Amino acid sequence: MLQQDTRDLAVVVRQKLFFGTLPRDEPTKMWVGKGSGSLCDVCDQPITSTEIEYEPDFSDRRVFRFHLNCIEVWHQQCL
Ligand SMILES: [Zn+2]
């Protein structure tokens, strides 16, 4: 397991929010499931099948994938 430092993640999230790589709006839908090996849009690490994958959908049809830990950091930074 990769140990992520939440403070570092918060910096990454703030940068991605600034550059528009990550959305600031509330998702219209949220899918939760087993990881499919896709890269997380926050930490750029794969979400493996032993992890939970969060997939928020937005009104403009953008789709993102996050780890549980990463979506929490994203939420905090959006507030
Ligand atoms: Zn992640």
Side-chain angles (χ1 to χ4, degrees):
M1 272 292 238
L2 255 176
Q3 198 59 45
Q4 288 285 351
D5 189 321
T6 26
R7 283 168 308 171
D8 288 351
L9 271 183
V11 172
V12 170
V13 168
R14 275 203 296 271
Q15 281 174 347
K16 290 193 172 188
L17 285 170
F18 179 79
F19 288 110
T21 320
L22 284 175
R24 277 181 185 278
D25 34 336
E26 279 290 311
T28 47
K29 273 185 211 158
M30 181 80 81
W31 306 97
V32 183
K34 221 170 67 164
S36 57
S38 319
L39 292 184
C40 169
D41 284 293
V42 169
C43 66
D44 297 315
Q45 299 293 319
I47 307 163
T48 65
S49 56
T50 56
E51 297 172 298
I52 304 293
E53 179 177 299
Y54 282 74
E55 192 184 313
D57 277 12
F58 294 88
S59 46
D60 58 4
R61 293 175 175 270
R62 285 175 302 166
V63 176
F64 294 86
R65 290 182 177 81
F66 300 120
H67 292 106
L68 168 62
N69 191 28
C70 295
I71 201 164
E72 283 176 353
V73 176
W74 171 69
H75 249 270
Q76 283 165 10
Q77 296 302 319
C78 280
L79 295 178

Coordinates of all heavy atoms in Angstrom, one line a residue:
M1 N 0.8 -1.2 0.0 CA 0.0 0.0 0.0 C 0.9 1.3 0.0 O 1.8 1.3 0.7 CB -0.9 0.0 1.3 CG -2.2 -0.7 1.1 SD -3.3 0.1 0.0 CE -4.7 0.4 1.0
L2 N 0.5 2.2 -0.9 CA 1.2 3.5 -0.9 C 0.7 4.4 0.2 O -0.5 4.6 0.3 CB 1.0 4.2 -2.2 CG 2.1 4.1 -3.2 CD1 1.7 4.8 -4.5 CD2 3.3 4.9 -2.7
Q3 N 1.6 4.9 1.0 CA 1.1 5.8 2.1 C 1.2 7.2 1.6 O 2.2 7.7 1.3 CB 2.1 5.6 3.3 CG 1.5 6.1 4.6 CD 0.2 5.5 5.0 OE1 0.0 4.3 4.9 NE2 -0.8 6.3 5.4
Q4 N 0.0 7.8 1.4 CA -0.1 9.2 0.9 C -0.1 10.2 2.0 O -0.8 10.0 3.0 CB -1.3 9.3 0.0 CG -1.2 8.6 -1.3 CD -0.3 9.4 -2.3 OE1 0.1 10.5 -2.0 NE2 0.0 8.7 -3.4
D5 N 0.6 11.2 1.9 CA 0.6 12.3 2.9 C -0.5 13.3 2.5 O -0.5 13.8 1.4 CB 1.9 13.0 2.9 CG 2.0 14.0 4.0 OD1 1.0 14.7 4.3 OD2 3.1 14.1 4.6
T6 N -1.5 13.4 3.4 CA -2.7 14.2 3.0 C -2.3 15.7 2.8 O -3.0 16.4 2.0 CB -3.8 14.2 4.1 OG1 -3.2 13.9 5.3 CG2 -4.8 13.2 3.7
R7 N -1.3 16.2 3.4 CA -0.9 17.6 3.2 C -0.4 17.8 1.8 O -0.7 18.7 1.1 CB 0.2 18.0 4.2 CG -0.5 18.3 5.6 CD 0.6 18.5 6.6 NE 1.5 17.3 6.6 CZ 2.7 17.2 7.2 NH1 3.1 18.2 7.9 NH2 3.4 16.1 7.1
D8 N 0.4 16.8 1.3 CA 0.9 16.8 0.0 C -0.2 16.7 -1.0 O -0.2 17.4 -2.0 CB 1.9 15.7 -0.3 CG 3.2 15.9 0.4 OD1 3.4 17.0 1.0 OD2 4.1 15.0 0.5
L9 N -1.2 15.8 -0.7 CA -2.3 15.7 -1.6 C -3.1 17.0 -1.7 O -3.6 17.3 -2.8 CB -3.3 14.6 -1.1 CG -3.0 13.1 -1.5 CD1 -4.0 12.2 -1.0 CD2 -2.9 13.0 -3.1
A10 N -3.2 17.7 -0.6 CA -4.0 18.9 -0.6 C -3.3 19.9 -1.5 O -4.0 20.7 -2.2 CB -4.1 19.5 0.8
V11 N -2.0 19.9 -1.5 CA -1.3 20.8 -2.4 C -1.5 20.5 -3.9 O -1.8 21.3 -4.7 CB 0.3 20.8 -2.1 CG1 1.1 21.6 -3.2 CG2 0.6 21.3 -0.7
V12 N -1.5 19.2 -4.2 CA -1.7 18.7 -5.5 C -3.2 19.1 -6.0 O -3.4 19.6 -7.1 CB -1.6 17.1 -5.6 CG1 -2.1 16.6 -6.9 CG2 -0.1 16.8 -5.4
V13 N -4.1 18.9 -5.0 CA -5.5 19.2 -5.4 C -5.7 20.7 -5.6 O -6.3 21.1 -6.6 CB -6.5 18.7 -4.2 CG1 -7.9 19.3 -4.4 CG2 -6.5 17.2 -4.2
R14 N -5.1 21.5 -4.8 CA -5.2 23.0 -5.0 C -4.6 23.4 -6.3 O -5.2 24.2 -7.0 CB -4.5 23.7 -3.9 CG -5.4 23.9 -2.6 CD -4.9 25.1 -1.8 NE -3.6 24.8 -1.2 CZ -3.4 24.2 -0.1 NH1 -4.4 23.8 0.6 NH2 -2.2 24.1 0.4
Q15 N -3.5 22.8 -6.7 CA -2.9 23.1 -8.0 C -3.8 22.7 -9.2 O -4.0 23.4 -10.1 CB -1.6 22.4 -8.2 CG -0.4 23.1 -7.4 CD 0.9 22.4 -7.5 OE1 0.9 21.2 -7.8 NE2 1.9 23.0 -7.1
K16 N -4.4 21.5 -9.0 CA -5.3 21.0 -10.1 C -6.6 21.8 -10.2 O -7.1 21.9 -11.3 CB -5.5 19.5 -9.9 CG -4.3 18.6 -10.1 CD -4.6 17.2 -10.2 CE -3.3 16.4 -10.7 NZ -3.5 15.0 -11.0
L17 N -7.0 22.2 -9.0 CA -8.2 23.1 -9.1 C -7.9 24.4 -9.7 O -8.7 24.9 -10.5 CB -8.7 23.4 -7.6 CG -9.4 22.2 -6.9 CD1 -9.6 22.6 -5.4 CD2 -10.8 21.9 -7.6
F18 N -6.7 24.9 -9.5 CA -6.3 26.2 -10.0 C -6.2 26.1 -11.5 O -6.6 27.0 -12.3 CB -4.9 26.6 -9.4 CG -4.4 27.9 -9.9 CD1 -4.9 29.1 -9.5 CD2 -3.4 27.9 -10.9 CE1 -4.4 30.3 -10.0 CE2 -2.9 29.1 -11.4 CZ -3.4 30.3 -11.0
F19 N -5.6 25.0 -12.0 CA -5.4 24.9 -13.5 C -6.6 24.3 -14.2 O -6.6 24.1 -15.4 CB -4.2 24.0 -13.7 CG -2.9 24.7 -13.4 CD1 -2.1 24.3 -12.3 CD2 -2.4 25.8 -14.2 CE1 -0.9 25.0 -12.0 CE2 -1.3 26.5 -13.9 CZ -0.5 26.1 -12.8
G20 N -7.6 24.0 -13.4 CA -8.9 23.5 -14.0 C -8.8 22.0 -14.3 O -9.7 21.5 -15.0
T21 N -7.8 21.3 -13.9 CA -7.7 19.9 -14.1 C -8.8 19.1 -13.3 O -9.3 18.1 -13.7 CB -6.3 19.3 -13.7 OG1 -5.3 20.3 -14.2 CG2 -6.0 18.0 -14.4
L22 N -9.1 19.7 -12.1 CA -10.1 19.1 -11.3 C -11.3 20.1 -11.2 O -11.1 21.3 -11.2 CB -9.6 18.8 -9.9 CG -8.7 17.6 -9.7 CD1 -8.1 17.6 -8.3 CD2 -9.4 16.3 -10.0
P23 N -12.5 19.6 -11.1 CA -13.7 20.4 -11.1 C -13.9 21.0 -9.7 O -13.4 20.4 -8.7 CB -14.8 19.5 -11.4 CG -14.3 18.1 -11.0 CD -12.8 18.1 -11.1
R24 N -14.6 22.1 -9.6 CA -14.9 22.7 -8.3 C -16.4 22.5 -8.0 O -16.9 22.8 -6.9 CB -14.7 24.2 -8.4 CG -13.3 24.6 -8.1 CD -13.2 26.1 -8.2 NE -11.8 26.5 -8.0 CZ -11.2 26.6 -6.9 NH1 -11.8 26.4 -5.7 NH2 -9.9 26.9 -6.8
D25 N -17.2 22.1 -9.0 CA -18.6 22.0 -8.8 C -19.0 20.7 -8.2 O -18.3 19.7 -8.1 CB -19.4 22.2 -10.1 CG -18.6 21.7 -11.3 OD1 -17.3 21.6 -11.2 OD2 -19.2 21.4 -12.3
E26 N -20.3 20.7 -7.7 CA -20.8 19.4 -7.1 C -21.1 18.4 -8.2 O -21.7 18.8 -9.2 CB -22.1 19.8 -6.3 CG -21.9 20.4 -5.0 CD -21.3 19.3 -4.0 OE1 -21.9 18.2 -3.9 OE2 -20.4 19.6 -3.3
P27 N -20.8 17.2 -8.0 CA -21.1 16.2 -9.0 C -22.7 15.9 -9.0 O -23.3 16.1 -8.0 CB -20.4 14.9 -8.5 CG -19.8 15.2 -7.2 CD -20.0 16.6 -6.9
T28 N -23.2 15.6 -10.2 CA -24.6 15.3 -10.3 C -24.9 13.9 -9.9 O -26.0 13.6 -9.4 CB -25.1 15.5 -11.8 OG1 -24.1 14.8 -12.6 CG2 -25.1 16.9 -12.2
K29 N -23.9 13.0 -10.0 CA -24.0 11.6 -9.6 C -22.7 11.1 -9.1 O -21.7 11.7 -9.5 CB -24.4 10.7 -10.9 CG -25.8 10.6 -11.2 CD -25.9 9.6 -12.3 CE -27.1 9.9 -13.2 NZ -27.0 9.3 -14.5
M30 N -22.8 10.1 -8.3 CA -21.5 9.6 -7.7 C -21.6 8.1 -7.8 O -22.5 7.5 -7.2 CB -21.4 10.0 -6.3 CG -20.1 9.5 -5.6 SD -18.7 10.5 -6.1 CE -18.8 11.8 -5.0
W31 N -20.7 7.4 -8.5 CA -20.7 6.0 -8.6 C -19.6 5.5 -7.7 O -18.5 6.1 -7.6 CB -20.4 5.5 -10.0 CG -21.3 6.1 -11.0 CD1 -21.1 7.2 -11.8 CD2 -22.6 5.6 -11.4 NE1 -22.2 7.4 -12.6 CE2 -23.2 6.5 -12.4 CE3 -23.4 4.5 -10.9 CZ2 -24.4 6.3 -12.9 CZ3 -24.7 4.3 -11.5 CH2 -25.2 5.2 -12.4
V32 N -19.8 4.5 -6.9 CA -18.8 3.9 -6.1 C -18.7 2.4 -6.4 O -19.7 1.7 -6.5 CB -19.2 4.1 -4.6 CG1 -18.1 3.6 -3.7 CG2 -19.5 5.5 -4.3
G33 N -17.5 2.0 -6.5 CA -17.3 0.6 -6.8 C -15.9 0.1 -6.6 O -15.1 0.9 -6.1
K34 N -15.6 -1.1 -7.0 CA -14.3 -1.7 -6.9 C -13.4 -1.0 -7.9 O -13.8 -0.7 -9.0 CB -14.4 -3.2 -7.2 CG -13.6 -4.0 -6.3 CD -13.9 -5.5 -6.4 CE -13.5 -6.0 -7.8 NZ -13.5 -7.5 -7.9
G35 N -12.1 -0.8 -7.5 CA -11.2 -0.2 -8.4 C -11.0 -1.0 -9.7 O -11.1 -2.2 -9.7
S36 N -10.9 -0.3 -10.8 CA -10.7 -0.9 -12.1 C -9.3 -0.8 -12.7 O -9.1 -1.1 -13.8 CB -11.8 -0.3 -13.1 OG -11.5 1.1 -13.2
G37 N -8.4 -0.2 -11.9 CA -7.0 0.0 -12.3 C -6.8 1.3 -13.0 O -5.7 1.6 -13.5
S38 N -7.9 2.1 -13.2 CA -7.8 3.4 -13.8 C -7.0 4.3 -12.9 O -6.9 4.1 -11.6 CB -9.1 4.1 -14.0 OG -10.0 3.1 -14.4
L39 N -6.4 5.4 -13.5 CA -5.6 6.3 -12.7 C -6.5 7.3 -11.9 O -7.5 7.7 -12.5 CB -4.6 7.1 -13.6 CG -3.5 6.3 -14.2 CD1 -2.6 7.2 -15.0 CD2 -2.7 5.5 -13.2
C40 N -6.2 7.5 -10.7 CA -6.9 8.5 -9.9 C -6.6 9.9 -10.4 O -5.4 10.2 -10.7 CB -6.4 8.3 -8.4 SG -7.0 9.6 -7.3
D41 N -7.6 10.8 -10.5 CA -7.4 12.1 -11.0 C -6.7 13.0 -10.0 O -6.4 14.2 -10.3 CB -8.7 12.7 -11.5 CG -9.1 12.1 -12.9 OD1 -8.4 12.4 -13.8 OD2 -10.1 11.3 -12.9
V42 N -6.6 12.6 -8.8 CA -5.9 13.4 -7.8 C -4.4 13.0 -7.7 O -3.6 13.8 -7.9 CB -6.6 13.3 -6.4 CG1 -5.7 13.9 -5.3 CG2 -8.0 14.0 -6.4
C43 N -4.2 11.8 -7.4 CA -2.8 11.4 -7.1 C -2.1 10.7 -8.2 O -0.9 10.4 -8.2 CB -2.8 10.5 -5.8 SG -3.6 8.9 -6.1
D44 N -2.8 10.5 -9.3 CA -2.3 9.8 -10.5 C -1.7 8.4 -10.3 O -0.9 7.9 -11.0 CB -1.2 10.7 -11.2 CG -1.7 12.0 -11.6 OD1 -2.8 12.1 -12.3 OD2 -1.1 13.1 -11.3
Q45 N -2.2 7.8 -9.3 CA -1.9 6.4 -9.0 C -3.1 5.5 -9.4 O -4.2 5.9 -9.3 CB -1.6 6.1 -7.5 CG -0.5 7.0 -6.9 CD 0.9 6.5 -7.5 OE1 1.1 5.3 -7.7 NE2 1.7 7.5 -7.9
P46 N -2.8 4.3 -9.8 CA -3.9 3.4 -10.2 C -4.8 3.0 -9.0 O -4.3 2.9 -7.9 CB -3.3 2.2 -10.8 CG -1.8 2.2 -10.4 CD -1.5 3.6 -10.1
I47 N -6.1 2.9 -9.2 CA -7.0 2.5 -8.2 C -7.2 1.0 -8.4 O -7.9 0.6 -9.4 CB -8.4 3.2 -8.3 CG1 -8.1 4.7 -8.3 CG2 -9.3 2.8 -7.1 CD1 -9.3 5.6 -8.8
T48 N -6.6 0.2 -7.6 CA -6.6 -1.2 -7.8 C -7.9 -1.9 -7.3 O -8.7 -1.3 -6.6 CB -5.4 -1.9 -7.1 OG1 -5.6 -1.7 -5.6 CG2 -4.1 -1.2 -7.4
S49 N -8.1 -3.2 -7.7 CA -9.3 -3.9 -7.4 C -9.5 -4.1 -5.9 O -10.6 -4.5 -5.4 CB -9.3 -5.2 -8.1 OG -8.2 -5.9 -7.8
T50 N -8.4 -3.9 -5.1 CA -8.6 -4.0 -3.6 C -9.0 -2.7 -3.0 O -9.2 -2.6 -1.8 CB -7.2 -4.5 -3.0 OG1 -6.2 -3.6 -3.3 CG2 -6.8 -5.9 -3.5
E51 N -9.1 -1.7 -3.8 CA -9.5 -0.3 -3.3 C -10.8 0.0 -3.8 O -11.3 -0.5 -4.8 CB -8.4 0.7 -3.7 CG -7.1 0.4 -3.1 CD -6.0 1.3 -3.7 OE1 -5.7 1.3 -4.9 OE2 -5.4 2.1 -2.9
I52 N -11.4 1.0 -3.2 CA -12.7 1.6 -3.6 C -12.5 2.7 -4.6 O -11.7 3.6 -4.3 CB -13.6 2.0 -2.4 CG1 -13.7 0.9 -1.4 CG2 -14.9 2.5 -2.9 CD1 -14.6 -0.3 -1.8
E53 N -13.2 2.7 -5.7 CA -13.1 3.8 -6.7 C -14.4 4.6 -6.6 O -15.5 4.1 -6.7 CB -13.0 3.1 -8.1 CG -12.9 4.1 -9.2 CD -12.7 3.4 -10.5 OE1 -11.7 2.7 -10.7 OE2 -13.6 3.5 -11.4
Y54 N -14.2 5.9 -6.5 CA -15.3 6.9 -6.5 C -15.3 7.6 -7.9 O -14.2 8.1 -8.3 CB -15.1 8.0 -5.4 CG -15.5 7.4 -4.1 CD1 -14.7 6.5 -3.4 CD2 -16.7 7.8 -3.5 CE1 -15.0 6.0 -2.2 CE2 -17.1 7.3 -2.3 CZ -16.2 6.4 -1.6 OH -16.6 5.9 -0.4
E55 N -16.4 7.6 -8.5 CA -16.5 8.1 -9.9 C -17.6 9.2 -9.9 O -18.8 8.8 -10.2 CB -16.8 7.0 -10.9 CG -16.6 7.4 -12.3 CD -16.9 6.3 -13.3 OE1 -16.5 5.1 -13.1 OE2 -17.7 6.5 -14.2
P56 N -17.3 10.4 -9.7 CA -18.3 11.5 -9.8 C -18.6 11.9 -11.2 O -17.7 12.0 -12.0 CB -17.7 12.6 -9.0 CG -16.3 12.4 -9.0 CD -16.0 11.0 -9.2
D57 N -19.9 12.1 -11.6 CA -20.3 12.5 -12.9 C -20.7 14.0 -12.7 O -21.3 14.4 -11.8 CB -21.5 11.8 -13.4 CG -21.1 10.4 -14.0 OD1 -19.9 10.1 -13.9 OD2 -22.0 9.8 -14.7
F58 N -20.3 14.8 -13.7 CA -20.7 16.2 -13.7 C -21.7 16.5 -14.8 O -21.8 15.8 -15.8 CB -19.5 17.1 -13.8 CG -18.6 16.9 -12.6 CD1 -17.6 15.9 -12.5 CD2 -18.8 17.7 -11.5 CE1 -16.9 15.7 -11.4 CE2 -18.0 17.5 -10.3 CZ -17.1 16.5 -10.3
S59 N -22.4 17.7 -14.6 CA -23.4 18.1 -15.6 C -22.9 18.2 -17.0 O -23.6 18.0 -18.0 CB -24.1 19.4 -15.1 OG -23.1 20.3 -14.8
D60 N -21.6 18.5 -17.2 CA -21.1 18.6 -18.5 C -20.4 17.3 -19.0 O -19.7 17.3 -19.9 CB -20.0 19.8 -18.6 CG -18.9 19.6 -17.6 OD1 -18.9 18.5 -16.9 OD2 -18.0 20.5 -17.5
R61 N -20.8 16.2 -18.3 CA -20.4 14.9 -18.7 C -19.0 14.5 -18.5 O -18.5 13.5 -19.0 CB -20.8 14.6 -20.2 CG -22.3 14.6 -20.4 CD -22.7 14.4 -21.8 NE -24.1 14.3 -22.0 CZ -24.8 13.1 -21.9 NH1 -24.1 12.0 -21.8 NH2 -26.1 13.1 -22.0
R62 N -18.2 15.4 -17.8 CA -16.9 15.0 -17.5 C -17.0 13.9 -16.4 O -17.9 13.9 -15.6 CB -16.1 16.2 -16.9 CG -15.7 17.2 -17.9 CD -15.0 18.4 -17.3 NE -16.0 19.0 -16.3 CZ -15.6 19.9 -15.4 NH1 -14.3 20.2 -15.3 NH2 -16.5 20.4 -14.6
V63 N -16.0 13.0 -16.5 CA -16.0 11.9 -15.5 C -14.6 11.8 -14.9 O -13.6 12.0 -15.6 CB -16.3 10.5 -16.2 CG1 -16.2 9.4 -15.2 CG2 -17.7 10.5 -16.7
F64 N -14.6 11.7 -13.6 CA -13.3 11.6 -12.9 C -13.3 10.4 -12.0 O -14.3 9.8 -11.7 CB -13.1 12.9 -12.0 CG -13.0 14.1 -12.8 CD1 -14.1 14.8 -13.2 CD2 -11.7 14.6 -13.1 CE1 -14.0 16.0 -13.9 CE2 -11.6 15.8 -13.8 CZ -12.7 16.5 -14.3
R65 N -12.1 9.9 -11.6 CA -12.0 8.8 -10.7 C -11.1 9.2 -9.6 O -10.0 9.8 -9.8 CB -11.4 7.6 -11.5 CG -12.4 7.1 -12.5 CD -11.8 5.8 -13.2 NE -12.9 5.3 -14.1 CZ -13.1 5.8 -15.3 NH1 -12.4 6.8 -15.8 NH2 -14.1 5.3 -16.1
F66 N -11.5 8.8 -8.4 CA -10.8 9.1 -7.2 C -10.7 7.9 -6.2 O -11.6 7.1 -6.2 CB -11.5 10.2 -6.4 CG -11.6 11.5 -7.2 CD1 -12.9 12.0 -7.4 CD2 -10.6 12.3 -7.6 CE1 -13.1 13.2 -8.1 CE2 -10.7 13.5 -8.3 CZ -12.0 13.9 -8.5
H67 N -9.6 7.9 -5.5 CA -9.6 7.0 -4.3 C -10.5 7.7 -3.2 O -10.7 8.9 -3.2 CB -8.1 6.9 -3.7 CG -7.1 6.2 -4.6 ND1 -6.2 6.9 -5.3 CD2 -7.0 4.9 -4.8 CE1 -5.4 6.0 -5.9 NE2 -5.9 4.8 -5.7
L68 N -10.8 6.8 -2.2 CA -11.6 7.4 -1.1 C -10.9 8.5 -0.4 O -11.4 9.6 -0.2 CB -11.9 6.2 -0.1 CG -12.4 6.6 1.3 CD1 -13.8 7.3 1.1 CD2 -12.5 5.4 2.2
N69 N -9.6 8.3 -0.1 CA -8.8 9.3 0.5 C -8.7 10.6 -0.3 O -8.8 11.7 0.2 CB -7.4 8.7 0.7 CG -6.5 9.5 1.6 OD1 -7.0 10.2 2.5 ND2 -5.2 9.5 1.4
C70 N -8.6 10.4 -1.6 CA -8.4 11.5 -2.5 C -9.6 12.3 -2.7 O -9.6 13.6 -2.8 CB -7.9 11.0 -3.9 SG -6.3 10.2 -3.8
I71 N -10.8 11.7 -2.7 CA -12.0 12.4 -2.9 C -12.3 13.2 -1.6 O -12.9 14.3 -1.7 CB -13.2 11.5 -3.3 CG1 -14.3 12.3 -3.9 CG2 -13.8 10.7 -2.1 CD1 -15.4 11.6 -4.7
E72 N -11.9 12.8 -0.5 CA -12.0 13.5 0.7 C -11.2 14.8 0.7 O -11.7 15.9 1.1 CB -11.7 12.7 2.0 CG -12.8 11.7 2.3 CD -12.5 10.8 3.4 OE1 -11.3 10.8 3.9 OE2 -13.4 10.0 3.9
V73 N -10.0 14.7 0.2 CA -9.1 15.8 0.1 C -9.7 16.8 -0.9 O -9.7 18.0 -0.6 CB -7.7 15.4 -0.3 CG1 -6.8 16.6 -0.4 CG2 -7.1 14.5 0.8
W74 N -10.2 16.3 -2.0 CA -10.8 17.2 -3.0 C -12.0 17.9 -2.5 O -12.1 19.1 -2.7 CB -11.2 16.3 -4.2 CG -12.0 17.0 -5.3 CD1 -11.5 18.0 -6.1 CD2 -13.4 16.8 -5.6 NE1 -12.6 18.5 -6.9 CE2 -13.7 17.8 -6.6 CE3 -14.4 16.0 -5.1 CZ2 -15.0 17.8 -7.1 CZ3 -15.6 16.1 -5.6 CH2 -15.9 17.0 -6.6
H75 N -12.8 17.2 -1.7 CA -14.0 17.8 -1.1 C -13.6 19.0 -0.2 O -14.2 20.0 -0.2 CB -14.8 16.8 -0.3 CG -16.1 16.5 -0.9 ND1 -17.2 17.1 -0.6 CD2 -16.4 15.6 -1.9 CE1 -18.2 16.7 -1.4 NE2 -17.8 15.7 -2.1
Q76 N -12.6 18.7 0.7 CA -12.1 19.7 1.6 C -11.6 20.9 0.9 O -11.9 22.1 1.3 CB -11.0 19.1 2.5 CG -11.5 18.2 3.6 CD -10.3 17.4 4.1 OE1 -9.2 17.6 3.9 NE2 -10.6 16.4 4.9
Q77 N -10.9 20.8 -0.2 CA -10.3 21.9 -0.9 C -11.3 22.7 -1.7 O -11.1 23.8 -2.0 CB -9.2 21.4 -1.8 CG -8.0 20.8 -1.1 CD -7.4 21.7 -0.1 OE1 -7.2 22.9 -0.4 NE2 -7.0 21.2 1.1
C78 N -12.5 22.0 -2.0 CA -13.5 22.7 -2.7 C -14.4 23.6 -1.9 O -15.0 24.6 -2.3 CB -14.5 21.7 -3.4 SG -13.8 21.0 -4.9
L79 N -14.4 23.4 -0.6 CA -15.2 24.1 0.3 C -14.8 25.6 0.5 O -13.6 25.9 0.4 CB -15.2 23.5 1.8 CG -15.8 22.1 1.8 CD1 -15.7 21.5 3.3 CD2 -17.3 22.1 1.4
Ligands
ZN1 ZN -5.8 8.9 -5.5

